[in-house]
Amino acid sequence: MSDVGPTRSFTIVPVGDFSLTESALFGFGQRMDAGKAQYDGVMRLAFCLDDYSGQVGVELRQDDTGVHGVVHGSGDLEAIQRQVARVLSLDQDARSFADVGRRDPVIGALQAAAPGLRPPLFYSPYEATVWSVLSARRPGTQMATVRAALSEAHGATFDLAGQRLAALPTPSQLLAIEDFPGIDADRLSRMHGVAQAALDGLLDVDRLQGLDTETAMAEVQRIKGIGPFYATLIVIRATGRTDSLAANEPRLRALVRDLYQLPHDPTEAELETIAEPWRPWRTWTTVLIRAAGPRVLSGHSSS
């Protein structure tokens, strides 16, 4: 399916600092090449709706009055706006995030290097889980290409400000796929398991948000192919939790070692002590460390 028909619009007014540029250039999972892209002032999103009824494409632009979205595709406009706000962490009052930088000068320097950075999230727990199964033990860039081809062939494609972008198949569409180049039979079977779990309500974002982190992680690990690492990715980076600390993440510990000039990588217990001043924004702070830490350590700041 390709995008046709009229467009609709909405505006989100951020509460606290927010930079659409930082979000657009933040490369991860569903936006693997974003960090290398030339930003033209438009952030383009294409995703399955939270209720799995279809897909939409959204063009986002920011000016002094807010973040303005142009929606391509059908679906409840208020629900689409809420989903976009969650994906960009614009559903949060971020004014107190600046206090973390005042309590911890290292974090203050990172905030100055990446002003207005908020954690961009996966479009939904469903899409995060599909990505987890698709990319497991395979090069991320390679599987991002496979996902794009899968989305073009079986999802929905939108023309967003002069660029084509495809949205992932809905769970029902994914279940109808019998084979696809670059996806072996076992991997596709696990993706079908994700689709069925989504239709069964296991990956409903409101449901997962209502559970404590440990329970939510245990729930998503009921899906074949999802272990603790990917459960953390799904629960923390797809539902919008602001204060979860991924203390067992090696890359984070290495950056903390260098930023805080420690003689060794901090243990999980040491990291938890260092992170105490980051409450109630430990998730946001760890994302900031991963995004802006290399800039600060290399002497580069945000443009």
Side-chain angles (χ1 to χ4, degrees):
M1 182 181 76
S2 295
D3 165 42
V4 292
T7 61
R8 297 167 291 164
S9 61
F10 61 80
T11 295
I12 301 171
V13 179
V15 182
D17 292 338
F18 174 73
S19 168
L20 186 66
T21 301
E22 289 287 349
S23 291
L25 294 178
F26 191 99
F28 79 104
Q30 68 199 17
R31 296 177 59 80
M32 186 64 67
D33 296 324
K36 305 173 186 177
Q38 182 66 41
Y39 181 55
D40 63 357
V42 182
M43 185 178 187
R44 299 164 177 85
L45 311 178
F47 54 89
C48 295
L49 298 172
D50 278 335
D51 64 3
Y52 312 133
S53 61
Q55 298 99 333
V56 295
V58 181
E59 303 169 12
L60 294 169
R61 299 170 177 84
Q62 183 177 20
D63 61 22
D64 291 341
T65 65
V67 177
H68 309 287
V70 176
V71 177
H72 300 248
S74 60
D76 180 75
L77 184 61
E78 289 187 6
I80 294 166
Q81 179 176 334
R82 286 196 302 271
Q83 189 168 352
V84 169
R86 185 185 75 237
V87 169
L88 297 180
S89 294
L90 283 170
D91 56 345
Q92 301 290 336
D93 179 342
R95 288 173 291 186
S96 68
F97 184 48
D99 295 338
V100 176
R102 286 187 276 271
R103 290 192 293 267
D104 184 334
V106 171
I107 304 306
L110 297 176
Q111 289 173 332
L117 172 66
R118 299 189 186 194
L121 306 182
F122 281 93
Y123 294 131
S124 65
Y126 162 65
E127 297 212 23
T129 311
V130 170
W131 173 247
S132 297
V133 171
L134 181 63
S135 64
R137 300 177 302 281
R138 298 288 293 276
T141 52
Q142 174 189 344
M143 300 318 290
T145 300
V146 173
R147 183 192 51 204
L150 180 73
S151 300
E152 285 267 2
H154 295 283
T157 304
F158 301 91
D159 185 349
L160 304 175
Q163 295 183 22
R164 286 173 57 87
L165 191 62
L168 195 72
T170 64
S172 295
Q173 290 170 330
L174 184 54
L175 282 170
I177 300 170
E178 296 181 356
D179 59 79
F180 194 80
I183 304 177
D184 60 78
D186 181 64
R187 196 175 299 265
L188 184 59
S189 175
R190 294 188 180 201
M191 292 169 66
H192 285 166
V194 173
Q196 189 59 58
L199 293 176
D200 291 343
L202 182 63
L203 294 172
D204 180 79
V205 65
D206 292 329
R207 176 179 179 275
L208 291 176
Q209 285 175 334
L211 301 173
D212 63 77
T213 300
E214 291 73 20
T215 302
M217 288 180 59
E219 283 286 286
V220 299
Q221 287 181 76
R222 291 165 51 192
I223 300 171
K224 187 176 181 179
I226 300 301
F229 174 81
Y230 286 116
T232 300
L233 179 83
I234 295 160
V235 171
I236 295 178
R237 296 303 307 282
T239 69
R241 293 168 193 264
T242 64
D243 196 39
S244 296
L245 179 66
N248 61 347
E249 191 176 310
R251 185 181 173 199
L252 173 65
R253 296 207 303 270
L255 284 167
V256 167
R257 176 198 66 209
D258 294 341
L259 288 166
Y260 288 82
Q261 299 181 353
L262 304 176
H264 55 79
D265 286 4
T267 64
E268 290 186 31
E270 289 170 336
L271 181 58
E272 288 178 1
T273 299
I274 292 169
E276 195 61 29
W278 306 347
R279 293 179 183 272
W281 298 101
R282 290 180 298 171
T283 305
W284 283 34
T285 303
T286 55
V287 171
L288 177 68
I289 288 170
R290 293 192 58 163
R295 300 184 201 176
V296 169
L297 292 168
S298 66
H300 297 154
S301 61
S302 177
S303 56

